[in-house]
């Protein structure tokens, strides 16, 4: 049988039965939710009260234990004041003194010992014979500091002993010796009863010192070992690091969820902790929850049975309405005659009104359907026409796009060809002059050499002719040398245009100080040229870049200003000056401005100043590569950008934007 059929059989076929079940389920769910919330509130309050009681109990235990240990320390310090210096020099007298301290021996059942100022043992009581390897750190600290000390050491049979040390002072208030006492921490006199105390059935107490060393635990195998690693027990971590005292839900190092309480011993700083398993804490509330749910279930079943009988009588008119609705679904609607008043009569009136509205709606639906068919036909025709128009427009746009793409490709190729042509023409023009001069001089020198050889062979050579030939040969050699040096310089500039930052060394430096250092190297030349240099530098600009490339940029800009901006100055013009300013631009790196007040650049030539072999002063000195090298170094090596502003009256201004970190 299918699950749906089983559910129908359980709930019944009538609406009354189903409504009764629904009310019963809602009742049970509501009261279950309210009961669950109430029990959760009770459980929270119970857990809080249990934590408070556990905290109060453990605070009393910790205070008692701390008081006992502090009292033992005070008694030991008082006994140390009774030690005579002579007893520290005689082992027999020292032993008799220790044996006479009857009360002190009862407090320190592990024995008493006397040590000298160098922490060497003088005498011990019979019960306090020192065990091999007994730590002497507390004794040494007491001897050095002159204050009472305490340390924890391993005892016999997996026990924990407390070693207390009190300094013995001489008449001059210097430490003459140390009196030590050793007691068993886990004896019944101190913390022995706490180790066996239970919280609930399986809960327990344990104690650790400030270094996470376990001082007390039901498992004696864990004594004097690290209690936990940081992060294993978050409650213990808070108590040790933050001084937390209180109760909270915690997970210990063994993964047990427990109500954990942490209390610090006021004097010693140790932490006394207790773990009360959460499952045991919640047992009373769980039993109450189970009993409450059982009572709610019984009440819901009884209420459901009563509601079934009542709702069956109430839903008889609804059954009649269901019959009329079935007839309506079969296409033979019948008017509904109510047999009672009230809500059922209102339902009958609404049903009859619905029949009338359905008749009118059906007529209107048929009219609207015919209209929709007509509109659909018109819409389909419009869609076909619009689709044809869009296809034609798309074809025209695609054809236009292909033409534009072809034109763009042609323009790019033409631009590359023109740029290459200008570069080749400029290179040929600049190389033609020095190489042509060298060729002319070499040809002249060759012809003169042949004439000189003929005169020499004919033995008709005169001294004046020899002197003339030597002078002309020297001048020709100098001219050839200068021409070849010009050609080599031009080739070097071309190579500098192709250099990349792989050949430079990157470093971090202060941009303002670097510019000042460059300016110092140029002071002599600027004075010789009569040019004033002013600096306005922000000292807080540090960048990670290529310093030699920056020096080369500034030197090329200075050469450009001297050769072009200040060349052939008319008489009476203002004194030449150059200004360098540096500003820090937050988020985008520093901005460097190089400005001169010389002859500016015509507006028509501004777009070409960075092109190779472009020289505004055609026929004068300069190959037109200086600003091309500047553009290459700024953009390709330093990773920044450069722009130029100029007019023929006020001079030229170069703006260089540099990144704070140049890309490698």
């Amino acid at each position: 049988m299918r699950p749906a059929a089983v559910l129908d059989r359980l709930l019944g076929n009538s609406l009354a039965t189903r409504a009764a079940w629904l009310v019963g389920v809602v009742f049970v769910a509501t009261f279950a939710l309210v009961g669950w919330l109430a029990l959760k509130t009770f459980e929270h309050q119970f857990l809080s009260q249990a934590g408070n009681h556990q905290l109060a109990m453990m605070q009393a235990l910790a205070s008692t234990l701390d008081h006992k240990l502090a009292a033992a320390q005070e008694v030991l310090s008082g006994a140390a004041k009774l030690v005579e210096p002579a007893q520290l020099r005689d082992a027999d007298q020292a032993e008799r003194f220790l044996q006479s301290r009857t009360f002190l021996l009862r407090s320190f059942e592990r024995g008493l010992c006397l040590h000298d100022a160098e922490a060497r043992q003088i005498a011990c009581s019979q019960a306090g014979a020192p065990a091999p390897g007994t730590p002497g750190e507390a004794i040494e600290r007491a001897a050095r500091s002159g204050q009472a000390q305490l340390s924890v050491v391993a005892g016999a049979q997996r026990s924990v002993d407390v070693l207390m040390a009190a300094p013995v002072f001489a008449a001059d208030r210097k430490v003459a010796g140390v009196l030590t006492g050793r007691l068993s921490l886990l004896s019944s006199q101190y913390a022995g009863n706490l180790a066996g105390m239970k919280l609930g059935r399986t809960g327990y107490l344990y104690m650790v010192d400030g270094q996470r060393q376990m001082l007390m635990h039901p498992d004696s195998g864990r004594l004097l070992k690290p209690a936990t690693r940081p992060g294993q027990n978050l409650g213990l971590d808070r108590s040790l690091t933050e001084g937390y005292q209180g109760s909270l839900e915690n997970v210990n190092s063994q993964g047990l969820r427990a109500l954990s309480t942490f209390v610090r011993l006021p004097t010693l700083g140790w932490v006394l902790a207790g773990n009360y398993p959460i499952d045991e804490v919640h047992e009373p509330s769980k039993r109450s929850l189970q009993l409450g749910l059982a009572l709610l279930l019984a009440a819901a079943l009884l209420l459901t049975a009563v509601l079934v009988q009542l709702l069956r009588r109430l839903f008889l008119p609804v059954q009649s309405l269901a019959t009329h609705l079935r007839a309506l679904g079969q296409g033979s609607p019948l008017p509904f005659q109510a047999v009672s008043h009230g809500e059922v009569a209102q339902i009958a009136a609404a049903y009859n009104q619905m029949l009338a509205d359905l008749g009118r709606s059906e007529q209107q639906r048929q009219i609207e359907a015919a209209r929709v068919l007509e509109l659909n036909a018109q819409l389909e025709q419009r869609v076909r026409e619009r689709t044809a128009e869009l296809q034609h427009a798309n074809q025209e746009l695609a054809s236009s796009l292909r033409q534009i793409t072809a034109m763009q490709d042609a323009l790019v190729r033409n631009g590359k060809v023109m740029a290459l042509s200008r570069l080749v023409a400029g290179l040929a023009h600049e190389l033609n002059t020095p190489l042509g001069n060298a060729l002319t001089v070499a040809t002249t020198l060759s012809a003169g050499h042949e004439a000189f050889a003929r005169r020499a062979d004919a033995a008709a050579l005169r001294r004046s002719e020899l002197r003339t030939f030597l002078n002309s040969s020297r001048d020709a050699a100098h001219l050839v040398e200068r021409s070849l040096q010009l050609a080599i310089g031009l080739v070097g500039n071309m190579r500098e245009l192709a250099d990349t930052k792989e050949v430079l060394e990157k470093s971090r430096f202060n941009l303002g100080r670097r510019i000042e250092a460059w300016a110092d190297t140029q002071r002599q030349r600027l004075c010789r040229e009569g040019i004033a240099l002013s600096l306005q530098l922000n000292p807080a600009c540090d960048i990670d870049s290529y310093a030699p490339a920056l020096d080369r940029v500034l030197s090329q800009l200075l050469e450009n200003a001297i050769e072009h901006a200040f060349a052939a100055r008319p008489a009476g013009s203002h004194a030449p000056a150059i200004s360098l300013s540096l500003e820090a631009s937050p988020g985008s790196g520093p901005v460097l401005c190089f400005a001169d007040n010389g002859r500016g650049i015509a507006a028509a030539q501004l777009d070409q100043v960075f092109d190779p072999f472009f020289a505004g002063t055609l026929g004068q000195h300069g190959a037109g590569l200086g600003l091309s090298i500047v553009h290459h170094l700024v953009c390709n090596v330093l990773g920044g950008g450069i722009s130029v502003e100029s007019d023929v009256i006020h001079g030229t201004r170069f703006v260089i934007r540099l990144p704070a970190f140049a890309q490698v």
Side-chain angles (χ1 to χ4, degrees):
M1 185 179 293
R2 293 180 299 175
V6 175
L7 184 61
D8 289 340
R9 178 167 293 184
L10 289 175
L11 296 179
N13 295 323
S14 67
L15 182 60
T17 304
R18 292 174 179 267
W21 276 107
L22 177 62
V23 173
V25 170
V26 172
F27 173 80
V28 171
T30 302
F31 278 82
L33 178 61
V34 173
W36 180 79
L37 291 175
L39 289 173
K40 280 295 182 183
T41 303
F42 169 75
E43 179 181 337
H44 177 73
Q45 293 296 329
F46 179 78
L47 187 64
S48 177
Q49 291 297 326
N52 292 335
H53 288 305
Q54 186 168 304
L55 175 63
M57 177 194 70
M58 292 182 60
Q59 284 178 336
L61 295 174
S63 177
T64 301
L65 177 60
D66 187 76
H67 177 72
K68 289 180 179 179
L69 294 174
Q73 183 76 58
E74 291 179 2
V75 170
L76 185 68
S77 298
K81 297 177 181 179
L82 302 177
V83 178
E84 298 293 338
Q87 294 172 340
L88 296 175
R89 294 189 294 269
D90 190 339
D92 293 336
Q93 292 187 34
E95 185 172 352
R96 285 195 298 272
F97 173 81
L98 296 177
Q99 295 295 342
S100 65
R101 305 293 102 184
T102 306
F103 175 77
L104 204 59
L105 288 172
R106 285 200 300 269
S107 299
F108 295 94
E109 72 276 14
R110 298 292 191 189
L112 300 171
C113 291
L114 268 173
H115 303 262
D116 60 12
E118 283 73 28
R120 292 190 297 268
Q121 181 176 302
I122 300 173
C124 278
S125 66
Q126 184 176 358
T134 300
E137 182 181 352
I139 302 173
E140 294 175 356
R141 290 201 308 267
R144 289 195 306 268
S145 64
Q147 297 179 353
Q149 301 292 332
L150 180 147
S151 65
V152 179
V153 297
Q157 299 179 351
R158 293 187 176 181
S159 64
V160 179
D161 289 355
V162 177
L163 179 66
M164 298 182 180
V168 176
F169 295 99
D172 56 357
R173 298 306 298 167
K174 292 184 179 180
V175 176
V178 178
L179 175 64
T180 63
R182 186 166 176 170
L183 57 86
S184 176
L185 179 64
L186 301 182
S187 65
S188 59
Q189 185 178 357
Y190 295 101
N193 296 330
L194 300 182
M197 183 177 293
K198 293 291 186 181
L199 298 178
R201 294 194 307 275
T202 60
Y204 59 91
L205 300 178
Y206 65 94
M207 184 164 58
V208 299
D209 61 10
Q211 286 72 40
R212 295 180 177 270
Q213 186 175 219
M214 186 69 75
L215 304 180
M216 183 189 77
H217 196 276
D219 182 6
S220 60
R222 297 186 61 182
L223 296 177
L224 294 180
K225 295 180 180 178
T228 60
R229 295 191 305 272
Q232 281 188 317
N233 190 325
L234 300 181
L236 182 60
D237 292 345
R238 288 185 59 191
S239 181
L240 291 174
T241 59
E242 303 174 10
Y244 170 76
Q245 297 191 92
S247 299
L248 49 78
E249 289 192 45
N250 189 41
V251 179
N252 66 6
S253 60
Q254 307 300 323
L256 174 67
R257 293 182 65 252
L259 175 63
S260 298
T261 303
F262 301 93
V263 177
R264 296 180 70 88
L265 276 66
T267 305
L268 303 177
W270 298 346
V271 175
L272 177 63
N275 285 335
Y276 190 175
I278 287 293
D279 294 338
E280 297 182 19
V281 179
H282 289 172
E283 281 183 0
S285 61
K286 288 182 179 178
R287 289 196 296 268
S288 300
L289 179 61
Q290 293 171 356
L291 179 61
L293 291 177
L295 293 175
L296 286 174
L297 180 61
L301 293 176
L302 179 61
L303 177 63
T304 302
V306 174
L307 288 175
V308 166
Q309 299 301 323
L310 293 176
L311 291 176
R312 279 179 177 174
R313 297 182 62 84
L314 292 174
F315 278 93
L316 287 176
V318 177
Q319 294 177 354
S320 177
L321 178 61
T323 302
H324 284 75
L325 291 175
R326 281 194 296 271
L328 176 62
Q330 296 171 359
S332 55
L334 299 174
F336 182 57
Q337 299 295 329
V339 295
S340 62
H341 301 284
E343 290 82 358
V344 177
Q346 295 177 4
I347 293 175
Y351 175 78
N352 295 330
Q353 181 64 36
M354 182 186 68
L355 290 180
D357 293 340
L358 284 175
R360 290 192 297 270
S361 298
E362 178 62 21
Q363 294 177 359
Q364 185 66 25
R365 186 192 65 79
Q366 293 176 357
I367 295 173
E368 294 295 333
R371 184 178 300 173
V372 168
L373 290 175
E374 181 181 358
L375 291 175
N376 284 340
Q378 295 177 0
L379 181 60
E380 290 177 357
Q381 179 62 28
R382 292 180 181 177
V383 168
R384 286 193 294 270
E385 294 174 356
R386 186 59 178 167
T387 301
E389 294 176 359
L390 290 176
Q391 290 177 348
H392 180 68
N394 286 338
Q395 292 175 356
E396 293 181 351
L397 288 176
S399 177
S400 300
L401 180 60
R402 287 193 295 271
Q403 294 176 0
I404 292 173
T405 303
M407 293 174 62
Q408 288 179 342
D409 293 341
L411 289 174
V412 170
R413 287 194 298 271
N414 291 337
K416 292 181 179 179
V417 170
M418 291 177 64
L420 182 59
S421 299
R422 286 197 300 270
L423 180 62
V424 172
L427 180 61
H429 172 74
E430 293 297 332
L431 286 175
N432 184 61
T433 299
L435 294 180
N437 292 338
L439 179 61
T440 301
V441 172
T443 302
T444 303
L445 184 61
S446 177
H449 181 271
E450 292 177 358
F452 180 80
R454 287 194 302 269
R455 296 284 294 175
D457 292 340
L461 186 64
R462 291 179 297 181
R463 183 184 298 274
S464 60
E465 291 177 343
L466 176 60
R467 186 179 298 106
T468 301
F469 175 76
L470 292 177
N471 292 335
S472 61
S473 298
R474 184 180 63 253
D475 295 340
H478 290 166
L479 182 58
V480 170
E481 182 182 359
R482 286 196 301 272
S483 298
L484 292 179
Q485 285 178 350
L486 289 175
I488 291 172
L490 183 61
V491 172
N493 288 336
M494 292 298 296
R495 288 184 59 189
E496 189 169 356
L497 277 175
D499 281 345
T500 61
K501 54 192 172 186
E502 282 77 7
V503 301
L504 301 176
E505 182 179 356
K506 185 179 179 183
S507 62
R508 184 166 185 82
F509 57 91
N510 183 275
L511 188 55
R513 289 196 292 270
R514 187 73 187 191
I515 294 174
E516 289 178 350
W518 172 86
D520 290 339
T521 62
Q522 303 295 329
R523 294 289 184 187
Q524 185 175 1
R525 183 181 181 186
L526 292 171
C527 292
R528 187 171 61 251
E529 298 288 343
I531 300 174
L533 176 64
S534 62
L535 300 178
Q536 297 178 356
L537 306 178
N538 189 332
C541 292
D542 290 334
I543 64 173
D544 195 347
S545 190
Y546 302 93
L550 177 65
D551 295 343
R552 180 63 174 158
V553 167
L554 296 175
S555 298
Q556 285 288 357
L557 291 176
L558 178 61
E559 290 291 340
N560 182 76
I562 293 174
E563 293 181 3
H564 300 286
F566 301 132
R569 294 192 303 272
S573 60
H574 46 263
I578 294 176
S579 65
L580 265 173
S581 63
L582 175 63
E583 299 177 358
S585 178
S588 60
V591 178
L592 175 63
C593 296
F594 186 100
D596 64 67
N597 63 349
R599 184 173 56 186
I601 304 172
Q605 298 177 343
L606 282 177
D607 294 337
Q608 300 174 295
V609 293
F610 295 119
D611 292 344
F613 298 108
F614 175 78
T617 56
L618 188 62
Q620 299 182 15
H621 55 279
L625 291 177
L627 293 183
S628 298
I629 294 174
V630 169
H631 186 273
H632 166 71
L633 292 175
V634 171
C635 298
N636 299 331
V637 177
L638 298 177
I642 183 171
S643 60
V644 59
E645 304 169 2
S646 180
D647 62 68
V648 296
I649 298 176
H650 299 94
T652 305
R653 182 171 180 263
F654 292 91
V655 179
I656 301 174
R657 291 174 174 82
L658 299 175
F661 297 92
Q663 297 296 325
V664 179

